[in-house]
Structure formats: C-alpha cells, structure tokens
Amino acid sequence: MNTRSPRSLKQLCIEVADSAIALRDDLCLFCTFSRQLGKATLDAIRHPRKIRRYDVYYYMDNCGSDAMPIIALLGFLIGVILAFQAIVQLRRFGVESYVVNLVGTVIVTELAPLVTAVVLAGRTGSSFAAELGTMKADEEIDAMVTMGFDPGRFLLFPKMLALLLIMPGLTIISDVCGISGGMVIVCSMLQVSTGEYLTKTFEIIQPIDLAQGLVKSFVFAVIVAGIGCMKGVNAERNAQGVGRSATSAVVTSIFLIVVTDAILTSCFGIAS
C-alpha cells in the first residue's frame, strides 16, 4: 500500500510563494478595478443625466423583485427557528419572556442583513461575474473600449447603483418576515397576544438598531456588486474561466461579508 510522502520544506515554500503572488495579483486587480469604478461613479455624480436609468431599472427588477420571495421565506424561517430555540434555552432559566427582545434585536441588527447579503452574493454576484465574464470571452468589452465607450459607465455603475437601491429594501422585508416568524412561535408557545408581541418588539428595537442593519446592507451591496463585477471583468477568456469567476465571486463575497459584519458589529458595539 502506497503512503503519501510528506511535503518537503521546498514544496511548502513554493506553495506559500504562489499564494503570496496570487494575493498580490488580486490586490493589483482590485486597485485597477476600484479606479475604474470610482471614475465611473464620479462621472455619474457630476453628470446625473448620463446615468443609464433603464439599465439600473432592469437590474433592480432582476436582482430585487426576483429575489424577494426567497429572502422573505428565509427571513420567516429564520425567525421561527430563532424563536423556537430561544424559548427552549431560556425556559431552563425561567426567563422565556425575553424571547421577544432576542428575536427582534438579533434579526434587525444581524441576521436580516447577513442573510440578504449571502443570498444576493450567491444569486446576483455570480450572475454579474458570469455576465461580464461571458462578454469578455466574446470580446464585447474590448469592442466597447475600441469604440470609445467606458465600460465602467455602461456595465459596472448600473449594477452597483441597482444593488445599492434594492439591498436596504430587501433587508427591511427580511426584518418584517423574521419578526413575523418569531411572532408565530412566541404567540403559539407562550400564549402571548399579537398586540403584546408587536408592542414589546417596537419598544425593544431602537433607531440605532435599525440604522445598524441598514448601514450593513449598504456596505454588503458594495461588496456583492464590486466583487461580482471585478471577478467578471478579470475572468479568463474561456468557458472554464467564466465558471471560475462566478464561483470565486460567491466565495470571496461571502467571506468579505462575514468579516465586514464582524467589524461593523464591533464598531457599533463600541459606539453604543
């Protein structure tokens, strides 16, 4: 029976060097992409009438309306699961009345924006990467540059603006559905009326909690749209490259979303 030989120090150093080179290349691509997107954003701010409104409406409909059912369903189910588990655990200490506090605060500040961002990363970020990767493979982006069109204005900025506009709305929908799911469990297991549940929820949720969720949704929108577009623009010019760019967009976006969520939560915790 053949056994796998341990890696030598030389092989380990080569792998570390390759990872460092790949990280350097990604940082260079990110800087180039950020400059291109920043130029398109400044041009849109200076000349609002040049914004391709119909492209923005198309992506808002494609990314927002079509994603609304799955986000609402996930928000409702997460509220149900969170309330049920909270009741089981808090009942051991006789403080199950605080379930409403837990469900309302956690959903609004953490779970709703996080779940919405993860769903859009898998659904919209991969779509952006695949669309732009296919255009690059077919040399459509090169043709636009040759004819004097700015890809940042025509391809990147409408996607970014569309996600910035629809992400907060989807987060609020997830908030409402999550609180509704918690209400179903709390009212049925603790014999609490709907009016009491909603009254206590509105007392617990402070404006800073809602602001925290909305700020996270804006930041997550930038991450999802930016990473999806960056991976698509820098995809290899073949079918395998398009697939890898879509996969990499999802993985990178989710990783950055979780890291950013931890940083923002710490910042809001220190500020409060």
Side-chain angles (χ1 to χ4, degrees):
M1 182 176 180
N2 294 329
T3 59
R4 185 178 179 181
S5 60
R7 291 182 299 178
S8 64
L9 179 61
K10 180 180 179 180
Q11 291 175 329
L12 180 62
C13 292
I14 291 175
E15 292 180 4
V16 172
D18 291 339
S19 300
I21 293 173
L23 180 61
R24 183 206 62 184
D25 294 340
D26 288 340
L27 290 176
C28 293
L29 291 175
F30 176 76
C31 293
T32 303
F33 174 80
S34 298
R35 184 170 61 251
Q36 185 179 12
L37 183 59
K39 179 182 176 182
T41 303
L42 290 176
D43 183 67
I45 294 174
R46 293 171 182 170
H47 309 284
R49 295 185 178 181
K50 291 185 178 181
I51 298 176
R52 298 176 63 83
R53 297 190 303 274
Y54 293 105
D55 290 345
V56 176
Y57 298 154
Y58 167 77
Y59 288 114
M60 288 179 65
D61 178 65
N62 187 32
C63 303
S65 301
D66 294 345
M68 191 182 303
I70 183 63
I71 288 176
L73 178 61
L74 285 177
F76 182 83
L77 294 177
I78 287 175
V80 169
I81 296 170
L82 179 62
F84 182 80
Q85 291 295 333
I87 291 174
V88 172
Q89 298 301 323
L90 295 180
R91 182 171 284 173
R92 299 178 180 179
F93 306 97
V95 290
E96 61 269 19
S97 59
Y98 288 96
V99 172
V100 180
N101 304 42
L102 177 65
V103 172
T105 304
V106 172
I107 286 180
V108 170
T109 60
E110 292 294 334
L111 292 181
L114 185 63
V115 169
T116 302
V118 170
V119 170
L120 289 185
R123 189 183 182 280
T124 303
S126 60
S127 175
F128 288 171
E131 177 184 338
L132 294 174
T134 303
M135 293 182 67
K136 183 177 181 180
D138 293 339
E139 299 183 351
E140 295 179 27
I141 297 179
D142 294 338
M144 291 181 62
V145 175
T146 301
M147 291 186 292
F149 295 104
D150 182 14
R153 174 191 168 193
F154 286 88
L155 299 178
L156 306 181
F157 183 75
K159 296 179 174 61
M160 179 72 71
L161 182 59
L163 268 191
L164 283 172
L165 293 176
I166 60 110
M167 182 79 86
L170 292 176
T171 301
I172 292 175
I173 292 174
S174 183
D175 289 336
V176 174
C177 293
I179 293 174
S180 301
M183 180 179 65
V184 171
I185 298 300
V186 172
C187 294
S188 60
M189 295 184 65
L190 299 181
Q191 286 75 45
V192 176
S193 66
T194 303
E196 292 176 348
Y197 179 89
L198 294 177
T199 300
K200 195 168 184 179
T201 299
F202 291 138
E203 291 177 355
I204 293 302
I205 298 176
Q206 300 297 321
I208 186 63
D209 298 328
L210 185 60
Q212 180 177 345
L214 293 179
V215 168
K216 288 182 178 180
S217 68
F218 279 112
V219 177
F220 294 161
V222 174
I223 292 175
V224 172
I227 296 299
C229 293
M230 184 185 74
K231 295 296 183 179
V233 169
N234 296 290
E236 299 177 7
R237 298 176 183 270
N238 51 54
Q240 292 81 7
V242 174
R244 282 194 293 268
S245 68
T247 303
S248 179
V250 176
V251 174
T252 306
S253 297
I254 293 176
F255 173 76
L256 291 179
I257 286 169
V258 174
V259 173
T260 305
D261 181 64
I263 295 173
L264 291 177
T265 300
S266 301
C267 293
F268 275 100
I270 295 173
S272 59

